[in-house]
mmCIF file of all heavy atoms in Angstrom:
data_model
loop_
_atom_site.group_PDB
_atom_site.id
_atom_site.type_symbol
_atom_site.label_atom_id
_atom_site.label_comp_id
_atom_site.label_asym_id
_atom_site.label_seq_id
_atom_site.Cartn_x
_atom_site.Cartn_y
_atom_site.Cartn_z
ATOM 1 N N TRP A 642 83.406 5.599 34.375
ATOM 2 C CA TRP A 642 83.771 4.925 35.616
ATOM 3 C C TRP A 642 85.278 5.126 35.884
ATOM 4 O O TRP A 642 85.637 5.279 37.062
ATOM 5 C CB TRP A 642 83.529 3.380 35.521
ATOM 6 C CG TRP A 642 82.100 3.053 35.526
ATOM 7 C CD1 TRP A 642 81.055 3.997 35.837
ATOM 8 C CD2 TRP A 642 81.479 1.795 35.375
ATOM 9 N NE1 TRP A 642 79.819 3.308 35.783
ATOM 10 C CE2 TRP A 642 80.083 1.972 35.530
ATOM 11 C CE3 TRP A 642 81.961 0.499 35.082
ATOM 12 C CZ2 TRP A 642 79.137 0.972 35.358
ATOM 13 C CZ3 TRP A 642 81.112 -0.477 34.947
ATOM 14 C CH2 TRP A 642 79.691 -0.272 35.149
ATOM 15 N N GLN A 643 86.064 5.025 34.835
ATOM 16 C CA GLN A 643 87.490 5.332 34.961
ATOM 17 C C GLN A 643 87.759 6.701 35.565
ATOM 18 O O GLN A 643 88.534 6.777 36.592
ATOM 19 C CB GLN A 643 88.203 5.175 33.667
ATOM 20 C CG GLN A 643 88.142 3.726 33.071
ATOM 21 C CD GLN A 643 88.545 3.796 31.662
ATOM 22 O OE1 GLN A 643 88.612 4.777 30.990
ATOM 23 N NE2 GLN A 643 88.870 2.600 31.084
ATOM 24 N N PHE A 644 87.135 7.637 34.947
ATOM 25 C CA PHE A 644 87.363 8.999 35.480
ATOM 26 C C PHE A 644 86.848 9.151 36.822
ATOM 27 O O PHE A 644 87.534 9.859 37.653
ATOM 28 C CB PHE A 644 86.694 9.977 34.491
ATOM 29 C CG PHE A 644 86.932 11.340 34.902
ATOM 30 C CD1 PHE A 644 88.130 11.913 34.965
ATOM 31 C CD2 PHE A 644 85.830 12.241 35.146
ATOM 32 C CE1 PHE A 644 88.401 13.226 35.374
ATOM 33 C CE2 PHE A 644 86.042 13.551 35.506
ATOM 34 C CZ PHE A 644 87.340 14.063 35.613
ATOM 35 N N GLU A 645 85.726 8.581 37.147
ATOM 36 C CA GLU A 645 85.102 8.748 38.465
ATOM 37 C C GLU A 645 86.114 8.214 39.591
ATOM 38 O O GLU A 645 86.199 8.814 40.628
ATOM 39 C CB GLU A 645 83.820 7.949 38.614
ATOM 40 C CG GLU A 645 82.647 8.742 38.065
ATOM 41 C CD GLU A 645 81.359 7.952 37.848
ATOM 42 O OE1 GLU A 645 81.371 6.811 38.378
ATOM 43 O OE2 GLU A 645 80.454 8.438 37.274
ATOM 44 N N ARG A 646 86.833 7.201 39.206
ATOM 45 C CA ARG A 646 87.786 6.653 40.216
ATOM 46 C C ARG A 646 88.830 7.722 40.561
ATOM 47 O O ARG A 646 89.199 7.713 41.725
ATOM 48 C CB ARG A 646 88.506 5.446 39.627
ATOM 49 C CG ARG A 646 87.723 4.233 40.057
ATOM 50 C CD ARG A 646 88.619 3.033 40.068
ATOM 51 N NE ARG A 646 87.774 1.945 40.289
ATOM 52 C CZ ARG A 646 88.125 0.665 40.340
ATOM 53 N NH1 ARG A 646 89.362 0.357 40.160
ATOM 54 N NH2 ARG A 646 87.294 -0.244 40.606
ATOM 55 N N THR A 647 89.214 8.469 39.533
ATOM 56 C CA THR A 647 90.314 9.370 39.831
ATOM 57 C C THR A 647 89.844 10.601 40.590
ATOM 58 O O THR A 647 90.637 11.377 41.185
ATOM 59 C CB THR A 647 90.917 9.868 38.574
ATOM 60 O OG1 THR A 647 89.999 10.545 37.761
ATOM 61 C CG2 THR A 647 91.504 8.768 37.758
ATOM 62 N N ILE A 648 88.488 10.870 40.686
ATOM 63 C CA ILE A 648 88.036 12.091 41.403
ATOM 64 C C ILE A 648 87.377 11.688 42.656
ATOM 65 O O ILE A 648 86.787 12.480 43.275
ATOM 66 C CB ILE A 648 87.135 12.936 40.454
ATOM 67 C CG1 ILE A 648 85.969 12.190 39.979
ATOM 68 C CG2 ILE A 648 87.903 13.558 39.321
ATOM 69 C CD1 ILE A 648 84.910 13.065 39.256
ATOM 70 N N GLN A 649 87.379 10.444 43.003
ATOM 71 C CA GLN A 649 86.665 10.147 44.218
ATOM 72 C C GLN A 649 87.327 10.449 45.526
ATOM 73 O O GLN A 649 86.666 10.599 46.537
ATOM 74 C CB GLN A 649 86.339 8.592 44.201
ATOM 75 C CG GLN A 649 84.972 8.223 43.628
ATOM 76 C CD GLN A 649 84.823 6.818 43.334
ATOM 77 O OE1 GLN A 649 85.704 6.051 43.431
ATOM 78 N NE2 GLN A 649 83.565 6.459 42.965
ATOM 79 N N THR A 650 88.643 10.626 45.424
ATOM 80 C CA THR A 650 89.307 11.015 46.609
ATOM 81 C C THR A 650 89.242 12.490 46.810
ATOM 82 O O THR A 650 89.719 13.214 45.936
ATOM 83 C CB THR A 650 90.771 10.581 46.667
ATOM 84 O OG1 THR A 650 91.084 9.915 45.429
ATOM 85 C CG2 THR A 650 91.167 9.695 47.782
ATOM 86 N N PRO A 651 88.794 13.000 47.911
ATOM 87 C CA PRO A 651 88.875 14.444 48.111
ATOM 88 C C PRO A 651 90.206 14.926 48.389
ATOM 89 O O PRO A 651 91.020 14.272 48.989
ATOM 90 C CB PRO A 651 87.884 14.645 49.322
ATOM 91 C CG PRO A 651 87.943 13.389 49.954
ATOM 92 C CD PRO A 651 88.164 12.302 49.037
ATOM 93 N N ILE A 652 90.495 16.169 47.938
ATOM 94 C CA ILE A 652 91.846 16.689 48.222
ATOM 95 C C ILE A 652 91.861 17.860 49.189
ATOM 96 O O ILE A 652 92.880 18.323 49.510
ATOM 97 C CB ILE A 652 92.523 17.133 46.828
ATOM 98 C CG1 ILE A 652 91.545 18.019 46.103
ATOM 99 C CG2 ILE A 652 92.863 15.895 46.047
ATOM 100 C CD1 ILE A 652 92.293 18.683 44.975
ATOM 101 N N GLY A 653 90.675 18.219 49.683
ATOM 102 C CA GLY A 653 90.571 19.398 50.541
ATOM 103 C C GLY A 653 91.252 19.068 51.894
ATOM 104 O O GLY A 653 91.352 17.906 52.331
ATOM 105 N N SER A 654 91.569 20.083 52.645
ATOM 106 C CA SER A 654 92.107 19.890 53.956
ATOM 107 C C SER A 654 91.040 19.447 54.980
ATOM 108 O O SER A 654 91.457 18.998 56.099
ATOM 109 C CB SER A 654 92.750 21.225 54.512
ATOM 110 O OG SER A 654 91.801 22.190 54.545
ATOM 111 N N THR A 655 89.742 19.538 54.616
ATOM 112 C CA THR A 655 88.720 19.109 55.540
ATOM 113 C C THR A 655 88.857 17.582 55.620
ATOM 114 O O THR A 655 88.462 17.075 56.703
ATOM 115 C CB THR A 655 87.343 19.467 54.947
ATOM 116 O OG1 THR A 655 87.508 20.824 54.459
ATOM 117 C CG2 THR A 655 86.279 19.315 56.014
ATOM 118 N N TRP A 656 89.176 16.937 54.553
ATOM 119 C CA TRP A 656 89.096 15.475 54.572
ATOM 120 C C TRP A 656 90.470 14.826 54.744
ATOM 121 O O TRP A 656 90.562 13.653 54.946
ATOM 122 C CB TRP A 656 88.475 14.948 53.304
ATOM 123 C CG TRP A 656 87.068 15.466 53.101
ATOM 124 C CD1 TRP A 656 86.043 14.881 53.543
ATOM 125 C CD2 TRP A 656 86.711 16.623 52.345
ATOM 126 N NE1 TRP A 656 84.911 15.587 53.157
ATOM 127 C CE2 TRP A 656 85.380 16.682 52.436
ATOM 128 C CE3 TRP A 656 87.418 17.587 51.686
ATOM 129 C CZ2 TRP A 656 84.568 17.658 51.851
ATOM 130 C CZ3 TRP A 656 86.682 18.601 51.071
ATOM 131 C CH2 TRP A 656 85.264 18.638 51.162
ATOM 132 N N ASN A 657 91.566 15.677 54.686
ATOM 133 C CA ASN A 657 92.887 15.001 54.718
ATOM 134 C C ASN A 657 93.716 15.651 55.831
ATOM 135 O O ASN A 657 93.398 16.749 56.354
ATOM 136 C CB ASN A 657 93.579 15.251 53.356
ATOM 137 C CG ASN A 657 93.023 14.487 52.273
ATOM 138 O OD1 ASN A 657 92.814 13.269 52.458
ATOM 139 N ND2 ASN A 657 92.615 15.136 51.218
ATOM 140 N N THR A 658 94.733 14.951 56.222
ATOM 141 C CA THR A 658 95.679 15.463 57.130
ATOM 142 C C THR A 658 96.441 16.643 56.457
ATOM 143 O O THR A 658 96.396 16.680 55.206
ATOM 144 C CB THR A 658 96.638 14.485 57.652
ATOM 145 O OG1 THR A 658 97.290 13.873 56.505
ATOM 146 C CG2 THR A 658 95.945 13.378 58.412
ATOM 147 N N GLN A 659 97.039 17.495 57.263
ATOM 148 C CA GLN A 659 97.677 18.633 56.634
ATOM 149 C C GLN A 659 98.716 18.253 55.638
ATOM 150 O O GLN A 659 98.883 18.767 54.502
ATOM 151 C CB GLN A 659 98.272 19.519 57.808
ATOM 152 C CG GLN A 659 98.685 20.863 57.307
ATOM 153 C CD GLN A 659 97.602 21.615 56.698
ATOM 154 O OE1 GLN A 659 96.410 21.480 57.013
ATOM 155 N NE2 GLN A 659 97.901 22.573 55.814
ATOM 156 N N ARG A 660 99.522 17.197 56.015
ATOM 157 C CA ARG A 660 100.656 16.721 55.149
ATOM 158 C C ARG A 660 100.074 16.182 53.784
ATOM 159 O O ARG A 660 100.508 16.538 52.756
ATOM 160 C CB ARG A 660 101.455 15.652 55.890
ATOM 161 C CG ARG A 660 102.179 16.171 57.014
ATOM 162 C CD ARG A 660 103.385 17.083 56.599
ATOM 163 N NE ARG A 660 104.388 16.366 55.989
ATOM 164 C CZ ARG A 660 105.359 15.673 56.581
ATOM 165 N NH1 ARG A 660 105.329 15.545 57.901
ATOM 166 N NH2 ARG A 660 106.287 14.998 55.898
ATOM 167 N N ALA A 661 99.023 15.403 53.966
ATOM 168 C CA ALA A 661 98.464 14.782 52.773
ATOM 169 C C ALA A 661 97.910 15.840 51.871
ATOM 170 O O ALA A 661 98.099 15.852 50.607
ATOM 171 C CB ALA A 661 97.420 13.783 53.151
ATOM 172 N N PHE A 662 97.254 16.807 52.539
ATOM 173 C CA PHE A 662 96.693 17.934 51.709
ATOM 174 C C PHE A 662 97.738 18.654 51.013
ATOM 175 O O PHE A 662 97.550 18.945 49.733
ATOM 176 C CB PHE A 662 95.940 18.827 52.697
ATOM 177 C CG PHE A 662 95.530 20.158 52.098
ATOM 178 C CD1 PHE A 662 94.647 20.185 51.056
ATOM 179 C CD2 PHE A 662 96.100 21.328 52.540
ATOM 180 C CE1 PHE A 662 94.292 21.364 50.563
ATOM 181 C CE2 PHE A 662 95.729 22.547 52.016
ATOM 182 C CZ PHE A 662 94.837 22.545 50.990
ATOM 183 N N GLN A 663 98.861 18.945 51.697
ATOM 184 C CA GLN A 663 99.897 19.660 51.024
ATOM 185 C C GLN A 663 100.540 18.889 49.876
ATOM 186 O O GLN A 663 100.774 19.460 48.744
ATOM 187 C CB GLN A 663 101.016 20.093 52.014
ATOM 188 C CG GLN A 663 100.637 21.290 52.805
ATOM 189 C CD GLN A 663 101.553 21.484 53.993
ATOM 190 O OE1 GLN A 663 102.383 20.571 54.316
ATOM 191 N NE2 GLN A 663 101.467 22.591 54.557
ATOM 192 N N LYS A 664 100.650 17.661 50.107
ATOM 193 C CA LYS A 664 101.262 16.789 49.039
ATOM 194 C C LYS A 664 100.270 16.695 47.868
ATOM 195 O O LYS A 664 100.781 16.707 46.647
ATOM 196 C CB LYS A 664 101.559 15.458 49.627
ATOM 197 C CG LYS A 664 102.444 14.691 48.640
ATOM 198 C CD LYS A 664 102.983 13.432 49.264
ATOM 199 C CE LYS A 664 103.982 12.837 48.265
ATOM 200 N NZ LYS A 664 104.152 11.493 48.491
ATOM 201 N N LEU A 665 99.058 16.625 48.091
ATOM 202 C CA LEU A 665 98.089 16.482 47.036
ATOM 203 C C LEU A 665 97.937 17.742 46.147
ATOM 204 O O LEU A 665 97.666 17.682 44.971
ATOM 205 C CB LEU A 665 96.667 16.142 47.550
ATOM 206 C CG LEU A 665 96.521 14.749 48.018
ATOM 207 C CD1 LEU A 665 95.142 14.568 48.742
ATOM 208 C CD2 LEU A 665 96.659 13.717 46.933
ATOM 209 N N THR A 666 98.277 18.875 46.863
ATOM 210 C CA THR A 666 97.971 20.168 46.174
ATOM 211 C C THR A 666 99.323 20.846 45.771
ATOM 212 O O THR A 666 99.277 22.046 45.435
ATOM 213 C CB THR A 666 97.197 21.111 47.081
ATOM 214 O OG1 THR A 666 97.804 21.189 48.321
ATOM 215 C CG2 THR A 666 95.770 20.634 47.231
ATOM 216 N N THR A 667 100.447 20.151 45.857
ATOM 217 C CA THR A 667 101.668 20.806 45.443
ATOM 218 C C THR A 667 101.709 21.094 43.916
ATOM 219 O O THR A 667 101.204 20.253 43.164
ATOM 220 C CB THR A 667 102.923 20.003 45.727
ATOM 221 O OG1 THR A 667 102.662 18.647 45.390
ATOM 222 C CG2 THR A 667 103.396 20.135 47.116
ATOM 223 N N PRO A 668 102.122 22.260 43.589
ATOM 224 C CA PRO A 668 102.129 22.562 42.114
ATOM 225 C C PRO A 668 103.185 21.812 41.463
ATOM 226 O O PRO A 668 104.144 21.374 42.061
ATOM 227 C CB PRO A 668 102.357 24.073 42.073
ATOM 228 C CG PRO A 668 102.980 24.476 43.380
ATOM 229 C CD PRO A 668 102.519 23.487 44.355
ATOM 230 N N LYS A 669 102.962 21.625 40.175
ATOM 231 C CA LYS A 669 104.015 20.775 39.391
ATOM 232 C C LYS A 669 105.278 21.520 39.315
ATOM 233 O O LYS A 669 106.385 20.954 39.299
ATOM 234 C CB LYS A 669 103.417 20.525 38.008
ATOM 235 C CG LYS A 669 102.324 19.432 38.089
ATOM 236 C CD LYS A 669 102.346 18.549 36.931
ATOM 237 C CE LYS A 669 101.392 17.342 37.204
ATOM 238 N NZ LYS A 669 100.379 17.268 36.171
ATOM 239 N N VAL A 670 105.191 22.843 39.036
ATOM 240 C CA VAL A 670 106.401 23.610 38.970
ATOM 241 C C VAL A 670 106.475 24.594 40.127
ATOM 242 O O VAL A 670 105.519 25.352 40.422
ATOM 243 C CB VAL A 670 106.476 24.431 37.664
ATOM 244 C CG1 VAL A 670 107.751 25.219 37.561
ATOM 245 C CG2 VAL A 670 106.218 23.475 36.457
ATOM 246 N N VAL A 671 107.601 24.588 40.838
ATOM 247 C CA VAL A 671 107.695 25.492 41.983
ATOM 248 C C VAL A 671 108.728 26.587 41.662
ATOM 249 O O VAL A 671 109.816 26.348 41.104
ATOM 250 C CB VAL A 671 108.292 24.775 43.189
ATOM 251 C CG1 VAL A 671 108.355 25.654 44.423
ATOM 252 C CG2 VAL A 671 107.374 23.557 43.505
ATOM 253 N N THR A 672 108.340 27.776 41.770
ATOM 254 C CA THR A 672 109.172 28.916 41.487
ATOM 255 C C THR A 672 109.449 29.667 42.778
ATOM 256 O O THR A 672 108.648 29.689 43.628
ATOM 257 C CB THR A 672 108.561 29.813 40.492
ATOM 258 O OG1 THR A 672 107.320 30.190 40.956
ATOM 259 C CG2 THR A 672 108.425 29.184 39.160
ATOM 260 N N LYS A 673 110.685 30.245 42.766
ATOM 261 C CA LYS A 673 111.029 30.980 43.968
ATOM 262 C C LYS A 673 110.527 32.391 43.732
ATOM 263 O O LYS A 673 110.588 32.915 42.688
ATOM 264 C CB LYS A 673 112.536 30.971 44.092
ATOM 265 C CG LYS A 673 113.043 29.777 44.855
ATOM 266 C CD LYS A 673 114.549 29.889 44.999
ATOM 267 C CE LYS A 673 115.158 28.659 45.394
ATOM 268 N NZ LYS A 673 116.678 28.629 45.325
ATOM 269 N N PRO A 674 109.967 32.975 44.796
ATOM 270 C CA PRO A 674 109.539 34.330 44.696
ATOM 271 C C PRO A 674 110.734 35.243 44.390
ATOM 272 O O PRO A 674 111.828 35.150 45.053
ATOM 273 C CB PRO A 674 108.822 34.633 45.991
ATOM 274 C CG PRO A 674 109.390 33.581 46.919
ATOM 275 C CD PRO A 674 109.676 32.421 46.137
ATOM 276 N N GLY A 675 110.554 36.128 43.535
ATOM 277 C CA GLY A 675 111.643 37.173 43.302
ATOM 278 C C GLY A 675 112.677 36.713 42.247
ATOM 279 O O GLY A 675 113.584 37.377 41.912
ATOM 280 N N HIS A 676 112.552 35.569 41.804
ATOM 281 C CA HIS A 676 113.592 35.065 40.882
ATOM 282 C C HIS A 676 113.176 35.355 39.397
ATOM 283 O O HIS A 676 112.021 35.317 39.143
ATOM 284 C CB HIS A 676 113.738 33.535 41.082
ATOM 285 C CG HIS A 676 115.051 33.021 40.601
ATOM 286 N ND1 HIS A 676 116.111 32.893 41.436
ATOM 287 C CD2 HIS A 676 115.429 32.706 39.402
ATOM 288 C CE1 HIS A 676 117.032 32.409 40.728
ATOM 289 N NE2 HIS A 676 116.717 32.327 39.495
ATOM 290 N N ILE A 677 114.164 35.717 38.663
ATOM 291 C CA ILE A 677 113.807 36.019 37.290
ATOM 292 C C ILE A 677 113.626 34.836 36.403
ATOM 293 O O ILE A 677 114.502 33.954 36.468
ATOM 294 C CB ILE A 677 114.962 36.902 36.702
ATOM 295 C CG1 ILE A 677 115.136 38.196 37.478
ATOM 296 C CG2 ILE A 677 114.672 37.242 35.190
ATOM 297 C CD1 ILE A 677 116.396 38.902 37.261
ATOM 298 N N ILE A 678 112.600 34.801 35.683
ATOM 299 C CA ILE A 678 112.355 33.633 34.734
ATOM 300 C C ILE A 678 112.494 34.192 33.357
ATOM 301 O O ILE A 678 111.777 35.025 32.956
ATOM 302 C CB ILE A 678 110.956 33.093 34.986
ATOM 303 C CG1 ILE A 678 110.752 32.584 36.406
ATOM 304 C CG2 ILE A 678 110.694 31.960 33.992
ATOM 305 C CD1 ILE A 678 109.333 32.219 36.752
ATOM 306 N N ASN A 679 113.532 33.682 32.719
ATOM 307 C CA ASN A 679 113.798 34.125 31.368
ATOM 308 C C ASN A 679 112.729 33.533 30.490
ATOM 309 O O ASN A 679 112.310 32.493 30.639
ATOM 310 C CB ASN A 679 115.228 33.663 30.972
ATOM 311 C CG ASN A 679 116.303 34.418 31.699
ATOM 312 O OD1 ASN A 679 116.094 35.640 32.015
ATOM 313 N ND2 ASN A 679 117.305 33.729 32.094
ATOM 314 N N PRO A 680 112.462 34.402 29.421
ATOM 315 C CA PRO A 680 111.580 33.813 28.404
ATOM 316 C C PRO A 680 112.184 32.585 27.632
ATOM 317 O O PRO A 680 113.374 32.416 27.576
ATOM 318 C CB PRO A 680 111.357 34.996 27.367
ATOM 319 C CG PRO A 680 112.528 35.882 27.624
ATOM 320 C CD PRO A 680 112.969 35.698 29.019
ATOM 321 N N ILE A 681 111.296 31.825 27.070
ATOM 322 C CA ILE A 681 111.768 30.621 26.418
ATOM 323 C C ILE A 681 112.394 31.015 25.115
ATOM 324 O O ILE A 681 111.844 31.732 24.365
ATOM 325 C CB ILE A 681 110.542 29.689 26.196
ATOM 326 C CG1 ILE A 681 109.734 29.494 27.503
ATOM 327 C CG2 ILE A 681 110.943 28.329 25.577
ATOM 328 C CD1 ILE A 681 108.371 28.956 27.290
ATOM 329 N N LYS A 682 113.470 30.238 24.989
ATOM 330 C CA LYS A 682 114.096 30.440 23.594
ATOM 331 C C LYS A 682 113.716 29.206 22.745
ATOM 332 O O LYS A 682 113.351 28.133 23.232
ATOM 333 C CB LYS A 682 115.602 30.439 23.760
ATOM 334 C CG LYS A 682 116.003 31.866 24.358
ATOM 335 C CD LYS A 682 117.567 31.715 24.569
ATOM 336 C CE LYS A 682 117.844 32.619 25.739
ATOM 337 N NZ LYS A 682 119.096 32.181 26.489
ATOM 338 N N ALA A 683 113.869 29.372 21.442
ATOM 339 C CA ALA A 683 113.474 28.271 20.505
ATOM 340 C C ALA A 683 114.375 27.099 20.808
ATOM 341 O O ALA A 683 113.958 25.934 20.757
ATOM 342 C CB ALA A 683 113.765 28.732 19.129
ATOM 343 N N GLU A 684 115.678 27.334 21.228
ATOM 344 C CA GLU A 684 116.602 26.248 21.509
ATOM 345 C C GLU A 684 116.084 25.426 22.658
ATOM 346 O O GLU A 684 116.251 24.253 22.768
ATOM 347 C CB GLU A 684 117.942 26.763 21.808
ATOM 348 C CG GLU A 684 118.738 27.156 20.592
ATOM 349 C CD GLU A 684 118.498 28.605 20.199
ATOM 350 O OE1 GLU A 684 117.639 29.301 20.919
ATOM 351 O OE2 GLU A 684 118.965 29.078 19.210
ATOM 352 N N ASP A 685 115.507 26.107 23.622
ATOM 353 C CA ASP A 685 115.026 25.498 24.803
ATOM 354 C C ASP A 685 113.942 24.480 24.443
ATOM 355 O O ASP A 685 113.776 23.374 25.043
ATOM 356 C CB ASP A 685 114.466 26.535 25.868
ATOM 357 C CG ASP A 685 115.534 27.348 26.376
ATOM 358 O OD1 ASP A 685 116.682 26.878 26.304
ATOM 359 O OD2 ASP A 685 115.201 28.462 26.793
ATOM 360 N N VAL A 686 113.084 24.893 23.526
ATOM 361 C CA VAL A 686 111.978 24.073 23.142
ATOM 362 C C VAL A 686 112.404 22.935 22.243
ATOM 363 O O VAL A 686 111.698 21.889 22.186
ATOM 364 C CB VAL A 686 110.981 24.917 22.410
ATOM 365 C CG1 VAL A 686 109.690 24.152 22.129
ATOM 366 C CG2 VAL A 686 110.630 26.114 23.183
ATOM 367 N N GLY A 687 113.641 23.040 21.671
ATOM 368 C CA GLY A 687 114.047 21.830 20.959
ATOM 369 C C GLY A 687 114.306 22.142 19.526
ATOM 370 O O GLY A 687 114.631 21.211 18.732
#
Side-chain angles (χ1 to χ4, degrees):
Chain A
W642 289 352
Q643 296 167 343
F644 180 59
E645 275 168 12
R646 264 202 190 182
T647 62
I648 57 171
Q649 264 166 355
T650 1
I652 52 170
S654 60
T655 315
W656 299 273
N657 289 310
T658 56
Q659 192 58 26
R660 293 289 292 280
F662 166 66
Q663 277 171 350
K664 196 168 182 202
L665 285 172
T666 53
T667 39
K669 286 215 172 123
V670 181
V671 183
T672 53
K673 278 183 187 169
H676 204 95
I677 299 164
I678 299 170
N679 291 324
I681 306 161
K682 285 174 210 152
E684 283 85 2
D685 294 337
V686 185

